[in-house]
Amino acid sequence: MPEMISVEEARDLVLSHVEALPAETVPVLEAAGRVAAADLKSDIDISPFAHSAMDGFAVRAAELAGASPESPVELDVIAEVAAGDTFDGGIEPGQCVRIMTGAPIPDAVDSVVKYEIVGVVTGDGKPGSRVAFTAPTAVRSNVREAGEEARAGEVIVECGEVINSAGVGFLAGCGVVEAPVHRRPRVAVIAIGSELVEPTQTPSAGKIRNSNSYALAASARAAGAEPVVLPIVEDTQEALAAAINAAVRDFDFVVTSGGASNGDFDFIKPVVEELGDLLMTTVNMRPGKAQTFGLVNGTPVFGLPGNPAAAYVGFEMLVRPALRKMQGYTCFERPFVMAKLTRDAKKRDPRRIFLRSTLSRNEAGEYVVEPARNQSSGLFGPIQRSNCMVVLPEGLDGRTEGSLVKCILLDVNEEVCL
């Protein structure tokens, strides 16, 4: 039987047995938040032409070289170029063109002066008007050059890069309407326990509603996976073996809750050992010491405890990283900050403890953290009201009020660096 291992050893073990899933091609809008499975290139220069960065007047910079408030340079406005239009006519000395943001820069000019700092001598600033400039301008001022953001054939999103919302727009502008991304893992979520009933039922004596499956499915979805809640499995080894055998045929990852300890009705460990390779049974953490992991027909199977907090913490620390790796992500640890405890945190268990907690700032702008009063592993409520987990390291040394402690952020993605 595998021995108890550290959280880091457990995470590395799980990660070593999963790989990024094959690519699938999706519409670019559906690629947001996913990992590119190939280099993506632009089909044209972006922008395909030099254009104005603002509303103003397109001029030759040399003509404004001596402009000042005392000696303004006056030019005649001979045309107006809107976004989407072009101006191919000639522009003589002493002339300029009114131009809108995004409009192509005529070949005969080399700078744009923004509208607000140009005086109108006669007319309304449109063609036929005469305008005055009171300061010089630099060549190519307020001009966005052709190919400034990308050149035709240039890689604009690299393989392995996470495509964000702006990236979707960038890809669309470069003509990429479909993108290859790593497939999302399909995750089977199975609750084990003869005492469980569906949430639609009112529990009778000795029964409780199956809440774990829904929390774990939601956690899998938050990790980018595609979860499916399967029927509750009764507390028999035969029933669980049949459910696991069926699940590994149709899913990329199987997560169970319940039946992970060493009681008479705890069967996930013997089932994984019987059907495949049992690789892990206990982790030096609280809540969630009982963490079962193995492979059945090559498919990862993870058995989480039945207590809600233990299942949730185990998922966050060990299952979520695996599901992210299967999607091509390379960051597997939530970011953390150091914060001051608002009260003492005693420690009577030598395991590493994760306290469900609330992080905020005090009047001085410092991070402070308040652990939930009730840390029972049987409760979902404190997790709902928490935004972080305080980490108390292995050993029996607690922490006093005001001590700096590590706070793992539960509402910030792994790619964020703090």
Side-chain angles (χ1 to χ4, degrees), residues 118-193:
V118 178
V120 177
V121 179
T122 61
D124 56 5
K126 296 182 178 182
S129 302
R130 189 169 178 81
V131 293
F133 301 83
T134 57
T137 185
V139 173
R140 313 310 288 178
S141 178
N142 299 317
V143 174
R144 292 183 178 141
E145 303 293 354
E148 180 179 78
E149 193 167 22
R151 292 290 184 182
E154 181 182 347
V155 174
I156 52 173
V157 172
E158 295 182 351
C159 180
E161 190 173 343
V162 180
I163 301 170
N164 60 25
S165 300
V168 168
F170 189 21
L171 290 169
C174 293
V176 179
V177 296
E178 292 184 326
V181 294
H182 289 287
R183 183 169 63 78
R184 298 184 188 275
R186 295 186 72 245
V187 179
V189 180
I190 303 173
I192 306 167

Side-chain angles (χ1 to χ4, degrees), residues 4-235:
M4 183 164 67
I5 58 178
S6 70
V7 175
E8 288 75 18
E9 289 172 324
R11 183 169 56 235
D12 289 345
L13 174 65
V14 176
L15 289 174
S16 71
H17 287 87
V18 297
E19 299 294 339
L21 293 173
E24 64 178 358
T25 300
V26 300
V28 68
L29 186 59
E30 295 179 17
R34 299 179 68 175
V35 179
D39 288 344
L40 303 176
K41 300 178 181 181
S42 180
D43 64 343
I44 60 172
D45 288 349
I46 300 295
S47 165
F49 51 82
H51 62 278
S52 178
M54 58 184 58
D55 293 349
F57 295 90
V59 301
R60 295 183 182 86
E63 290 196 64
L64 306 187
S68 68
E70 296 76 24
S71 181
V73 173
E74 297 184 1
L75 300 177
D76 293 322
V77 183
I78 63 165
E80 181 176 52
V81 190
D85 291 340
T86 59
F87 177 76
D88 300 320
I91 302 175
E92 301 297 329
Q95 296 178 337
C96 65
V97 172
R98 184 173 178 177
I99 194 166
M100 302 296 117
T101 303
I105 302 293
D107 292 339
V109 294
D110 57 19
S111 183
V112 174
V113 180
K114 65 179 180 180
Y115 185 84
E116 291 81 2
I117 64 172
V118 178
V120 177
V121 179
T122 61
D124 56 5
K126 296 182 178 182
S129 302
R130 189 169 178 81
V131 293
F133 301 83
T134 57
T137 185
V139 173
R140 313 310 288 178
S141 178
N142 299 317
V143 174
R144 292 183 178 141
E145 303 293 354
E148 180 179 78
E149 193 167 22
R151 292 290 184 182
E154 181 182 347
V155 174
I156 52 173
V157 172
E158 295 182 351
C159 180
E161 190 173 343
V162 180
I163 301 170
N164 60 25
S165 300
V168 168
F170 189 21
L171 290 169
C174 293
V176 179
V177 296
E178 292 184 326
V181 294
H182 289 287
R183 183 169 63 78
R184 298 184 188 275
R186 295 186 72 245
V187 179
V189 180
I190 303 173
I192 306 167
S194 299
E195 78 281 12
L196 300 175
V197 297
E198 294 297 340
T200 52
Q201 295 180 241
T202 300
S204 58
K207 303 291 185 179
I208 59 172
R209 285 180 169 134
N210 172 23
S211 55
N212 274 4
S213 286
Y214 291 84
L216 296 175
S219 294
R221 183 165 292 167
E226 296 178 346
V228 176
V229 175
L230 297 183
I232 297 166
V233 176
E234 64 180 7
D235 284 318

Side-chain angles (χ1 to χ4, degrees), residues 145-367:
E145 303 293 354
E148 180 179 78
E149 193 167 22
R151 292 290 184 182
E154 181 182 347
V155 174
I156 52 173
V157 172
E158 295 182 351
C159 180
E161 190 173 343
V162 180
I163 301 170
N164 60 25
S165 300
V168 168
F170 189 21
L171 290 169
C174 293
V176 179
V177 296
E178 292 184 326
V181 294
H182 289 287
R183 183 169 63 78
R184 298 184 188 275
R186 295 186 72 245
V187 179
V189 180
I190 303 173
I192 306 167
S194 299
E195 78 281 12
L196 300 175
V197 297
E198 294 297 340
T200 52
Q201 295 180 241
T202 300
S204 58
K207 303 291 185 179
I208 59 172
R209 285 180 169 134
N210 172 23
S211 55
N212 274 4
S213 286
Y214 291 84
L216 296 175
S219 294
R221 183 165 292 167
E226 296 178 346
V228 176
V229 175
L230 297 183
I232 297 166
V233 176
E234 64 180 7
D235 284 318
T236 70
Q237 187 164 337
E238 294 75 18
L240 182 56
I244 296 295
N245 257 329
V248 297
R249 288 196 295 267
D250 298 329
F251 293 88
D252 303 302
F253 202 103
V254 178
V255 178
T256 69
S257 66
S261 295
N262 296 310
D264 292 340
F265 298 97
D266 295 324
F267 296 116
I268 186 62
K269 285 184 284 191
V271 163
V272 173
E273 191 168 34
E274 173 194 345
L275 299 180
D277 298 317
L278 180 63
L279 302 172
M280 179 178 79
T281 58
T282 52
V283 179
N284 194 10
M285 61 190 289
R286 180 177 179 180
K289 175 183 175 182
Q291 305 281 340
T292 298
F293 175 67
L295 301 176
V296 176
N297 292 336
T299 299
V301 176
F302 206 107
L304 293 164
N307 281 325
Y312 178 84
V313 174
F315 188 100
E316 271 290 322
M317 302 308 297
L318 304 174
V319 178
R320 180 181 168 93
L323 297 182
R324 286 177 56 82
K325 182 177 180 181
M326 295 173 81
Q327 296 168 80
Y329 296 102
T330 55
C331 298
F332 306 122
E333 295 186 54
R334 296 271 201 181
F336 69 90
V337 298
M338 303 300 291
K340 291 182 177 180
L341 277 171
T342 59
R343 64 170 183 272
D344 293 351
K346 297 180 181 180
K347 200 165 187 289
R348 299 184 179 88
D349 189 315
R351 289 176 286 168
R352 186 181 307 181
I353 294 180
F354 297 91
L355 301 176
R356 283 72 72 200
S357 307
T358 302
L359 181 74
S360 60
R361 289 186 185 270
N362 61 17
E363 293 181 354
E366 302 170 312
Y367 280 124

